[in-house]
Amino acid sequence: MQNDWRQIDIRWLAVIASLAVSVSTLLFQGEPNADAYTYVRTAEIFLSDGVVAAYQHYFWATYSILIAAVSWFGIDLFSAGLLVNSFFYALLVFAFISIIREIDDSRPLLLIAAIILLVYPQLNEYRNSIIRDIGYWALSVFALWQYLLFTRTQLTKHALCYCGSLLFAAAFRVEALAYLILTPFSLLLDIRFEPKIRKKLLLKLGGILLTTAIFMSLCLALMGLNIANLFIEFISVY
């Protein structure tokens, strides 16, 4: 029995703990934060008028669309927002501990990392808030994990997950584009590989990034969204 316990992946235990904490926010909901009303109103517009109307109302409508999608299961929009955040918190916990495991897979270290993340005040104070930042954090950390996996394995699937995750994260906060573009250049400094291999990996990742970006842009265009206008609006905020 003791050996079976030690074989359990700490990441999944941390995810369960994170979800348990998040459930408490659903059971004891307080007054919604100010931004929550903007996201919920945008979700209502999406449900009634569609995706184009949602983005016309609010340029960061991706988060609201996720909230609306969860509400299709018969959940009110405020609770749906907390559920969306619960998923992103769980993803953040799993990805963060996975990054630690890439550095050192010591079980005590992973346990310490899980505990620190689960009790970290500045992070957990937002569990009862409906804000898009949680999605940005979770997807960015997940992308970093996938990037580390790509540098170790050179597998295309990890490059695709890296690019897709940060492009998705950019729909929550535009800063994700900076990570998406600049992070791959760290390959040129990776002393594990010969210079030619570093350049080859950078070109491979760049090609996958370009392909993924074009594919996602086409999907958005087919939905009736003006990609250029959305990008300008995203950048203009800063």
Side-chain angles (χ1 to χ4, degrees):
M1 181 65 69
Q2 186 176 3
N3 289 334
D4 292 340
W5 175 255
R6 289 182 177 179
Q7 292 176 357
I8 297 176
D9 194 331
I10 289 178
R11 294 177 300 176
W12 290 112
L13 292 176
V15 165
I16 292 172
S18 176
L19 291 173
V21 174
S22 296
V23 166
S24 67
T25 65
L26 287 169
L27 297 177
F28 306 100
Q29 293 185 40
E31 183 70 21
N33 56 298
D35 291 344
Y37 294 97
T38 300
Y39 298 127
V40 167
R41 177 55 184 154
T42 306
E44 291 174 340
I45 292 174
F46 168 75
L47 291 172
S48 61
D49 300 321
V51 62
V52 175
Y55 277 100
Q56 288 176 343
H57 174 74
Y58 185 57
F59 286 101
W60 302 98
T62 303
Y63 181 52
S64 297
I65 292 173
L66 290 176
I67 293 174
V70 173
S71 75
W72 287 336
F73 293 95
I75 305 169
D76 70 89
L77 289 171
F78 287 101
S79 295
L82 292 176
L83 275 177
V84 170
N85 278 5
S86 297
F87 167 77
F88 281 129
Y89 265 111
L91 179 63
L92 175 60
V93 167
F94 188 89
F96 178 81
I97 300 174
S98 295
I99 290 174
I100 300 300
R101 195 171 72 163
E102 283 296 305
I103 300 171
D104 188 338
D105 62 355
S106 166
R107 191 171 180 84
L109 178 62
L110 297 179
L111 182 59
I112 292 172
I115 294 173
I116 291 175
L117 189 61
L118 288 170
V119 302
Y120 190 64
Q122 284 79 4
L123 179 64
N124 289 285
E125 67 179 349
Y126 296 109
R127 281 190 184 269
N128 59 351
S129 299
I130 300 177
I131 55 174
R132 55 187 165 90
D133 300 69
I134 309 301
Y136 163 69
W137 296 336
L139 291 167
S140 297
V141 174
F142 178 80
L144 177 58
W145 173 42
Q146 292 301 308
Y147 176 75
L148 292 176
L149 290 175
F150 172 72
T151 61
R152 179 165 59 84
T153 66
Q154 292 89 58
L155 293 177
T156 300
K157 64 178 183 180
H158 296 306
L160 285 170
C161 287
Y162 165 76
C163 296
S165 296
L166 280 179
L167 285 171
F168 191 21
F172 292 81
R173 293 194 69 91
V174 74
E175 293 95 326
L177 293 178
Y179 292 112
L180 179 64
I181 296 170
L182 297 177
T183 301
F185 286 99
S186 66
L187 284 167
L188 297 177
L189 304 175
D190 196 330
I191 60 175
R192 292 176 297 177
F193 308 110
E194 296 293 330
K196 289 184 178 180
I197 297 179
R198 299 177 203 173
K199 295 178 182 178
K200 182 179 179 180
L201 289 175
L202 178 60
L203 289 174
K204 178 180 179 179
L205 188 55
I208 292 173
L209 168 58
L210 182 61
T211 302
T212 305
I214 292 174
F215 174 76
M216 293 186 72
S217 297
L218 288 174
C219 290
L220 292 174
L222 290 174
M223 294 167 61
L225 298 174
N226 189 313
I227 308 303
N229 285 346
L230 282 176
F231 182 76
I232 292 172
E233 289 294 334
F234 287 169
I235 298 298
S236 66
V237 175
Y238 299 91

